[in-house]
């Protein structure tokens, strides 16, 4: 039932004469009266309003447009006569609480409509909201009408889209205004228990509520409790005992101590008893406290998310969230309950406990490797347990606040997985370089993260050290073997087969695209970029919509490529070889001249930009000439970025491991220009590096760099003698350090010039924006991470044995298996799916009536062999594959990738169920095999 407005609009003597009025409400009433009863022509009207004769606002009241009225409080008859005697150029509004019968006909005859205009609250409320009817439940709240008039914001209440002002709508607006929720960015429609808990963090929040008139305060509290239940009962109690400011921190403590199963613990019961004193006497029921704790946990989780997003709702979310956690810790210490909240998903004590569990399980996994000969079944079990512990850590609400700590935990587990995997012995330099790019570079990346450690948790720091030392020793053995292979390869004449060398990157990778002429090219040389740096950057670029290709996809299976640096692995040798396409030594001038004049470009223009010509003036990221060159589609652009190489000399002002796109000079801006102009990007290096990790300085008289020497002294432990035509030194001979723990010169942040895999291997990444057509011979890559990066493995090495397998295992890759409970993999297909069973599933799919019906619905029939190729590729890759690779495996052009996937979705997504979906903003395709089988009525078992 609703109340129609206007029922008491003009009844004389009706309404609270002493009603305080605010500018918005008064303006609404005056405009309403002038619209219904236009004033007579002539002198401006004098309007008598029944209201409290108090006006602490600006004397001139805007009435809309250019119209204004002067407001004057008149507490007496004399004050009214005084105003009537004055000349006015605009309407005058007189506020008086005198009864109309006390004013006399003399005054009434001179005022607008010859009467006192009363402010009927409900008519005014309806007018402000633009409502024609009022909810009868609202009208029965006698306090609400006055409150809505007093609380009206200066711009008035917002106009409704409907005709009825509902009770809850009006009270949501009233609460939002009375409690100052706008300061938190909370709108009336956002009002919920979380918003009210956030409100308790405002300074003086309790005063905002207690200062309201008793009837209004009681009414609002009652409505809030009715609307939001038990959490508001707890808040009301805390308000009564003057503990409202502790609402969220106390709620977080309650969430942990009143969690399911906690009541059985005697220590927890005693702590609960100490806390219950906050909730009145007698205290609130346990179910109310438990519900309040859950609401506080949700409010805190939302607050932490806002802080991590740097959201403006609420303002100062980061400072507020940390203050809440600080206060919660104080309460826990006060209650003696800090050891009882280990299961908390929000408190710091819970996060620390999960860190401890990670340390214990990682150490257990290392122990299982030591005992693998006696108990081989323990290895996958302990790996799965460690993965579950890290997953729980990642699910804690503070994980987004400390993402680096979660990432380091995953890195430690990845290294243990690698240690549990048999490494195929490389048969020569070509295979070793390939393994460095596709596997061991990822090991180096993980080692770098684990080296950073965790000073805040001693047990975790010890676990990381143990993992680091074990992985470092295994990597050192691989470098030892590679040094011998490199020496033989160099002595025997170097390149053979399809192995890239740094001087062949331009002829074999860049020149074919330039000569094809269908797409401009940007060559970016990140001086000193190792395979570990490239691994991290490649993952970041994939998330930003760049698709990686194998530029030599016609030679062997598609994979990320690596090249052999020139020797020694220093800039003056290896970068010159890269940019001149010939072994030699030079400087920037040598490189620029050779790059511009290469016959490889067949007359096309080429420009090379070094550090001095790379950066622009104030306000410009790139030099003006570089920007112009990037816009010239017929110009091959080469850019040398020295950020990584410079950091090896001077160090980095960062405690974070790895390199990100934003920390490598203008790399992001260069890639943005390349995307805009449709350039293919070749991202490469001239050599890699090793980092300073407690290295030992070896004294020598012939040190030409920190990692190589030219004196005739024979090589000692950790050194290798390299001779050959690719060695740029007197006599084409150097002695280089292969051991990453050694150096010749004083300590720096990192070093290069040696013969370790990390220094000799040059990563080569070929990139295109998502959806761009690929040059001839380029093949898109699936996920470049090795199997152990996301899943445990079944094969292992004996910890005390050589890290290489025997000759009979050369070149064989371990097969990944995801153990139960390991949630590190992004998507897991059912255990019944196997690599060799895809045909059986697809045969049943294509034979089903549902598939025939769905296939017939497509306007342009897709050949079955293309559908089979796409689905086989997805099944072979655990159901997840880049969009362009799905199209390529199906025989479609990369430029049609999104359209092809959309057509497949029409066929496979029966009744719009997401059998086939695109994630990562369309960059990746996901196949839900279980849902596919259910929707098409075929057996899920593939064998």
């Amino acid at each position: 039932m609703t109340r129609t407005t206007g029922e008491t609009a003009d009844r004389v003597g009706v309404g609270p004469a002493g009603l305080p009025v605010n500018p918005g409400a008064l303006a609404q009433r005056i405009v309403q009266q002038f619209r219904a009863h236009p004033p007579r022509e002539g002198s401006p009207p004098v309007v008598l309003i029944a209201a409290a004769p108090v006006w602490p606002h600006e004397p001139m009241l805007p009435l809309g447009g250019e119209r204004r009225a002067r407001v004057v409080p008149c507490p007496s008859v004399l004050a009214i006569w005084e105003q009537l005697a004055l000349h006015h150029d605009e309407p005058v509004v007189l506020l008086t609480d005198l009864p109309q019968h006390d004013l006399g006909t003399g005054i009434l005859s001179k005022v607008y409509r010859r009467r006192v205009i009363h402010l009927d609250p409900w008519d005014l409320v309806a007018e402000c909201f633009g409502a024609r009817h009022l909810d009868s439940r609202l009208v029965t709240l006698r306090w609400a009408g006055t409150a809505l008039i007093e609380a009206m914001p200066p711009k008035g209440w917002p106009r409704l889209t409907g005709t009825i002002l509902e009770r809850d709508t009006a009270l949501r607006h009233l609460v939002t205004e009375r409690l100052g929720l706008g300061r938190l960015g909370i709108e009336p429609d956002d009002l919920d228990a979380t918003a009210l808990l956030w409100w308790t963090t405002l300074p003086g929040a309790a005063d905002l509520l207690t200062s309201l008139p008793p009837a209004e305060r009681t009414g609002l509290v009652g409505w809030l409790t009715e609307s939001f239940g038990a959490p508001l009962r707890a808040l009301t109690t805390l308000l009564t005992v003057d503990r409202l400011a502790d609402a969220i921190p106390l709620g977080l403590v309650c969430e942990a101590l009143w969690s399911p199963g906690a009541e059985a613990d005697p220590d927890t019961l005693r702590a609960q008893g100490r806390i219950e004193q906050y909730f009145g006497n007698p205290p609130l029921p346990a179910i109310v406290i438990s519900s309040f704790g859950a609401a506080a946990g949700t409010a805190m989780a939302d607050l932490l998310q806002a802080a991590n997003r740097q959201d403006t709702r609420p303002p100062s979310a980061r400072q507020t969230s940390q203050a809440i956690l600080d206060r919660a810790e104080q309460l826990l210490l006060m209650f003696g309950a800090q050891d009882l909240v280990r299961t908390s998903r929000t408190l710091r004590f819970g996060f620390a406990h999960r860190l401890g569990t990670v340390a214990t399980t990682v150490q257990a996994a290392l122990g299982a490797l030591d005992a693998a000969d006696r108990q081989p079944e323990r290895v996958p079990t302990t790996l799965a347990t460690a993965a579950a512990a890290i997953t729980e850590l990642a699910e804690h609400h503070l994980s987004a606040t400390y993402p680096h700590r979660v990432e380091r935990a995953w890195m430690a587990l990845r290294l243990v997985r690698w240690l549990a995997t048999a490494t195929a012995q490389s048969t020569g330099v070509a295979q070793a370089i390939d393994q460095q790019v596709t596997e061991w570079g990822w090991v180096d990346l993980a080692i770098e993260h684990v080296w950073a450690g965790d000073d805040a948790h001693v047990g975790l720091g010890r676990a990381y050290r143990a993992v680091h030392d074990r992985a470092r020793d295994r990597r050192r053995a691989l470098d030892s073997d590679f040094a011998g292979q490199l020496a033989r390869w160099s002595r025997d004449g170097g390149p053979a087969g399809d192995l890239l060398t740094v001087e062949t990157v331009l002829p074999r990778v860049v020149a074919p695209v330039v000569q094809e002429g269908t797409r401009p090219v940007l060559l970016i040389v990140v001086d000193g970029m190792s395979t570990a740096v490239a691994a991290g950057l490649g993952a970041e670029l994939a998330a930003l919509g760049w698709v990686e290709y194998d530029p030599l996809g016609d030679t062997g299976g598609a994979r990320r490529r690596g090249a052999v640096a020139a020797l020694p692995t220093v800039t003056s040798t290896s970068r010159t070889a890269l940019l001149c396409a010939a072994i030699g030594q030079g400087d920037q001038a040598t490189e620029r001249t050779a790059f511009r004049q290469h016959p490889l470009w067949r007359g096309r223009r080429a420009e090379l930009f070094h550090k001095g010509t790379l950066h622009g003036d104030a306000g410009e990221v790139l030099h003006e000439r570089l920007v112009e060159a990037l816009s010239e589609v017929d110009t091959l652009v080469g850019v040398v970025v020295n950020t990584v190489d410079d950091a090896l000399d001077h160090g980095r002002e960062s405690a974070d491991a790895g390199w990100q796109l934003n920390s490598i000079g203008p790399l992001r801006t260069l890639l943005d220009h390349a995307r805009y102009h449709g350039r293919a990007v070749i991202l490469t290096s001239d050599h890699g590096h090793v980092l300073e990790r407690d290295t030992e300085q070896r004294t020598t008289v012939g040190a030409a760099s920190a990692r190589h020497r030219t004196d005739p002294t024979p090589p000692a432990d950790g050194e290798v003698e390299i001779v050959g035509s690719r060695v740029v030194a007197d006599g084409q001979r150097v002695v280089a350090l292969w051991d990453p723990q050694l150096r010749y010169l004083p300590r720096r942040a990192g070093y290069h010039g040696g013969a370790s895999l990390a220094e000799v291997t040059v990563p080569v990444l070929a990139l295109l924006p998502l959806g761009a057509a690929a040059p001839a011979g380029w093949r898109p890559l699936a996920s470049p991470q090795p199997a152990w990066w996301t899943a445990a493995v079944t094969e292992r090495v004996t910890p005390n044995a050589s890290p290489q397998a025997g000759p009979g295992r050369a070149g064989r890759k371990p097969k990944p298996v995801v153990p139960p409970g390991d949630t590190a993999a992004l998507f897991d297909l059912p255990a019944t799916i196997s690599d060799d069973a895809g045909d059986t599933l697809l045969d049943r799919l294509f034979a089903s009536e549902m598939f025939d019906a769905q296939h017939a619905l497509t306007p342009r029939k897709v050949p079955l062999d293309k559908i089979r190729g796409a689905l086989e590729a997805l099944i072979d890759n655990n159901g997840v594959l880049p969009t362009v690779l799905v199209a390529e495996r199906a025989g479609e052009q990369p430029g049609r990738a999104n359209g092809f996937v959309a057509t497949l979705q029409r066929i496979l997504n029966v009744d719009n169920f997401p059998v086939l979906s695109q994630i990562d903003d369309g960059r990746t395709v996901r196949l839900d095999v279980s849902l596919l089988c259910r929707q098409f009525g075929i057996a899920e078992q593939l064998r």
Side-chain angles (χ1 to χ4, degrees):
M1 180 178 178
T2 59
R3 170 190 183 272
T4 301
T5 62
E7 293 174 354
T8 60
D10 291 325
R11 285 187 290 168
V12 178
V14 178
L19 177 70
V21 64
N22 70 12
L26 183 58
Q28 288 272 8
R29 185 57 168 159
I30 298 300
V31 171
Q32 179 191 54
Q33 285 291 310
F34 284 178
R35 187 185 305 122
H37 307 280
R40 291 180 299 177
E41 297 292 335
S43 60
V46 177
V47 184
L48 273 178
I49 296 292
V54 178
W55 188 253
H57 312 288
E58 291 292 330
M60 299 306 296
L61 178 70
L63 299 179
E66 296 182 356
R67 296 188 304 169
R68 299 189 306 168
R70 180 177 297 279
V71 181
V72 180
C74 295
S76 64
V77 172
L78 184 60
I80 296 174
W81 275 115
E82 182 179 346
Q83 291 299 318
L84 291 174
L86 296 175
H87 172 75
H88 300 287
D89 294 326
E90 61 277 314
V92 179
V93 178
L94 306 181
L95 306 180
T96 184
D97 56 357
L98 298 173
Q100 182 168 307
H101 58 75
D102 287 351
L103 300 180
T105 57
I107 288 178
L108 295 177
S109 65
K110 297 180 180 293
V111 299
Y112 172 73
R113 298 192 64 196
R114 298 180 180 180
R115 67 185 67 187
V116 177
I117 307 299
H118 287 269
L119 298 177
D120 179 75
W122 292 121
D123 283 343
L124 202 54
V125 168
E127 173 72 17
C128 293
F129 280 99
R132 296 179 58 189
H133 307 284
L134 298 174
D135 187 340
S136 59
R137 296 176 304 164
L138 176 62
V139 176
T140 58
L141 304 177
R142 299 182 61 183
W143 54 269
T146 301
L148 285 164
I149 297 300
E150 290 182 349
M152 184 185 300
K155 294 184 178 180
W157 295 118
R159 309 290 285 184
L160 299 177
T161 56
T163 60
I164 300 176
L165 177 59
E166 300 284 351
R167 179 196 67 163
D168 291 351
T169 299
L171 295 186
R172 278 179 174 273
H173 282 84
L174 179 59
V175 168
T176 302
E177 195 66 29
R178 286 300 204 194
L179 301 187
L181 295 178
R183 285 185 283 169
L184 297 173
I186 296 171
E187 302 292 337
D189 289 342
D190 301 328
L191 186 63
D192 57 11
T194 292
L196 292 167
L197 282 162
W198 284 3
W199 164 72
T200 64
T201 66
L202 290 174
D207 294 338
L208 292 172
L209 191 57
T210 57
S211 62
L212 296 176
E216 182 182 354
R217 180 174 66 249
T218 302
L220 287 180
V221 169
W223 176 77
L224 289 170
T225 304
E226 172 193 332
S227 300
F228 304 117
L232 267 295
R233 286 187 62 187
L235 279 183
T236 303
T237 303
L238 292 175
L239 178 66
T240 303
V241 298
D242 197 24
R243 293 286 185 178
L244 191 67
D246 279 339
I248 297 183
L250 184 63
L252 297 179
V253 175
C254 294
E255 181 189 32
L257 295 181
W258 270 265
S259 60
E263 296 82 355
D265 179 62
D267 292 334
T268 300
L269 290 174
R270 284 190 288 271
Q272 289 177 352
R274 291 189 287 269
I275 293 171
E276 284 175 344
Q277 62 181 311
Y278 277 71
F279 293 104
N281 187 19
L284 294 174
I287 190 171
V288 174
I289 299 177
S290 176
S291 178
F292 168 63
T298 300
M300 188 61 187
D302 290 349
L303 189 64
L304 287 169
Q305 288 181 5
N308 293 323
R309 291 193 309 265
Q310 297 183 344
D311 202 339
T312 56
R313 297 181 54 203
S316 305
R318 187 178 297 277
Q319 295 91 329
T320 301
S321 60
Q322 295 307 311
I324 290 172
L325 292 172
D326 290 342
R327 179 56 179 162
E329 290 183 4
Q330 294 173 2
L331 292 174
L332 285 168
L333 294 172
M334 183 190 310
F335 299 136
Q338 62 270 25
D339 294 331
L340 305 176
V341 294
R342 295 177 177 177
T343 60
S344 172
R345 296 183 61 211
T346 309
L347 296 170
R348 293 188 186 122
F349 285 112
F351 190 73
H353 173 70
R354 296 185 188 206
L355 288 172
T357 303
V358 170
T360 301
T361 56
V362 167
Q363 290 277 28
L366 281 178
L369 292 183
D370 293 334
D373 288 336
R374 301 186 305 275
Q375 297 175 302
E377 71 282 355
R378 284 188 58 208
V379 174
T381 300
T382 54
L383 286 172
T385 302
I390 300 173
T391 299
E392 286 195 5
L393 177 68
E395 290 173 348
H396 195 281
H397 294 314
L398 287 176
S399 64
T401 305
Y402 307 107
H404 60 287
R405 303 182 77 181
V406 179
E407 181 66 7
R408 285 174 193 170
W410 281 122
M411 291 294 185
L413 177 60
R414 286 162 178 159
L415 287 176
V416 179
R417 286 170 169 165
W418 175 65
L419 291 168
T421 307
T423 299
Q425 183 178 11
S426 60
T427 56
V429 169
Q431 189 176 7
I433 294 295
D434 187 60
Q435 288 177 297
Q436 176 67 18
V437 173
T438 59
E439 181 173 6
W440 301 335
W442 297 88
V443 175
D444 295 341
L445 176 62
I447 288 176
E448 187 177 343
H449 279 266
V450 172
W451 168 270
D454 196 301
D455 293 336
H457 196 286
V458 177
L460 195 58
R462 284 196 296 265
Y464 288 165
R465 185 69 186 185
V467 172
H468 171 273
D469 291 349
R470 188 83 64 90
R472 177 201 59 196
D473 291 345
R474 193 180 188 195
R475 276 293 285 115
R476 185 175 181 275
L478 296 172
D479 281 323
S480 176
D481 277 0
F482 174 70
Q485 294 166 355
L486 180 65
R488 290 190 295 272
W489 177 81
S490 181
R491 184 180 61 246
D492 294 343
D498 66 348
L499 174 63
L500 274 175
T501 56
V502 71
E503 68 271 20
T504 62
V505 170
L506 293 191
R508 296 183 58 190
V509 178
V510 180
V513 187
V514 175
Q515 294 167 9
E516 183 182 286
T518 59
R519 185 171 293 281
V521 179
L522 170 63
L523 171 67
I524 303 177
V525 181
V526 180
D527 198 325
M529 178 175 68
S530 64
T531 50
V533 175
L537 280 180
E540 188 176 359
L541 291 172
L544 294 174
W546 287 92
V547 181
E548 186 175 351
Y549 289 78
D550 180 356
L552 305 177
D554 291 336
T555 60
R559 62 194 186 277
R560 181 176 290 174
R561 298 285 174 163
V564 184
L567 302 170
T569 53
V570 293
T571 299
S572 61
T573 296
S574 202
R575 196 177 75 192
T576 298
L578 168 69
L579 295 172
C580 297
I583 294 296
Q585 194 168 27
D587 54 17
Q588 292 185 11
T590 307
E591 295 166 358
R592 277 196 300 271
T593 301
F595 189 80
R596 290 171 178 170
Q597 298 175 358
H598 272 312
L600 295 168
W601 314 142
R602 295 183 180 176
R604 291 182 180 271
R605 183 170 181 172
E607 288 201 48
L608 181 64
F609 296 84
H610 289 89
K611 182 187 290 186
T613 58
L614 178 59
H615 299 284
D617 295 329
E620 299 173 340
V621 178
L622 302 179
H623 193 280
E624 180 181 5
R625 178 55 203 141
L626 174 55
V627 174
E628 291 176 0
L630 288 168
S631 67
E632 297 166 356
V633 294
D634 291 331
T635 300
L636 164 64
V637 179
V639 177
V640 177
V641 179
N642 291 94
T643 308
V644 175
D645 200 48
D646 289 347
L648 301 179
D649 283 338
H650 309 299
R652 294 171 58 199
E653 294 299 323
S654 173
D656 292 336
W659 286 87
Q660 288 75 44
L661 189 60
N662 284 335
S663 58
I664 303 184
L667 183 55
R668 178 184 287 275
T669 304
L670 287 167
L671 290 168
D672 288 343
H673 279 274
R675 188 195 300 272
Y676 180 77
H677 295 293
R679 287 183 176 268
V681 176
I682 311 296
L683 179 63
T684 189
S685 178
D686 51 352
H687 56 75
H689 64 266
V690 294
L691 294 171
E692 168 55 43
R693 296 292 182 254
D694 295 334
T695 60
E696 174 189 341
Q697 183 173 354
R698 177 169 290 180
T699 303
T700 182
V701 295
S705 76
R707 297 274 295 165
H708 84 280
R709 58 184 175 85
T710 57
D711 62 276
T713 307
D717 289 342
E719 297 177 326
V720 62
E721 182 182 58
I722 305 175
V723 296
S725 59
R726 297 187 74 256
V727 180
V728 183
D730 292 341
Q732 294 185 323
R733 172 195 177 273
V734 295
V735 173
L737 292 168
W738 62 260
D739 189 343
Q741 295 301 112
L742 298 174
R743 55 184 165 83
Y744 294 132
L745 299 180
R747 188 186 303 271
R748 295 287 181 90
Y751 318 97
H752 57 91
S756 70
L757 276 160
E759 294 165 285
V760 173
T761 307
V762 173
V764 180
L765 281 68
L767 304 163
L768 286 175
L770 179 65
W778 284 30
R779 295 290 179 266
L781 300 183
S783 176
Q785 294 97 335
W788 47 264
W789 193 261
T790 54
V793 290
T794 54
E795 300 180 39
R796 64 170 182 81
V797 292
T798 304
N800 296 324
S802 168
Q804 286 78 33
R809 298 175 56 84
R812 186 162 76 85
K813 208 171 185 179
K815 187 175 181 179
V817 176
V818 182
D822 187 351
T823 56
L826 183 59
F827 299 112
D828 296 331
L829 293 182
T832 53
I833 293 178
S834 62
D835 292 338
D836 57 356
D839 289 340
T840 303
L841 170 66
L842 297 182
D843 287 341
R844 290 199 298 271
L845 171 67
F846 296 153
S848 68
E849 294 183 6
M850 177 64 76
F851 180 83
D852 286 340
Q854 290 291 112
H855 192 220
L857 293 176
T858 56
R860 184 178 67 87
K861 294 296 182 292
V862 181
L864 290 182
D865 60 338
K866 289 192 173 185
I867 301 176
R868 181 183 292 275
L871 295 181
E872 282 180 346
L874 284 162
I875 290 173
D876 289 344
N877 288 274
N878 209 25
V880 181
L881 210 59
T883 301
V884 292
L885 193 55
V886 172
E888 194 266 346
R889 296 288 178 85
E892 287 283 355
Q893 291 296 321
R896 294 198 62 255
N898 285 313
F900 174 67
V901 172
T903 302
L904 289 183
Q905 288 177 309
R906 291 194 197 102
I907 299 171
L908 300 177
N909 292 358
V910 180
D911 296 331
N912 292 322
F913 281 86
V915 172
L916 194 72
S917 56
Q918 285 187 282
I919 57 178
D920 297 336
D921 295 327
R923 297 188 297 271
T924 307
V925 178
R926 178 188 180 187
L927 173 67
D928 189 328
V929 175
S930 297
L931 186 56
L932 172 73
C933 295
R934 290 198 299 273
Q935 291 300 96
F936 286 89
I938 58 178
E940 187 169 336
Q941 282 72 23
L942 300 185
R943 293 182 183 274

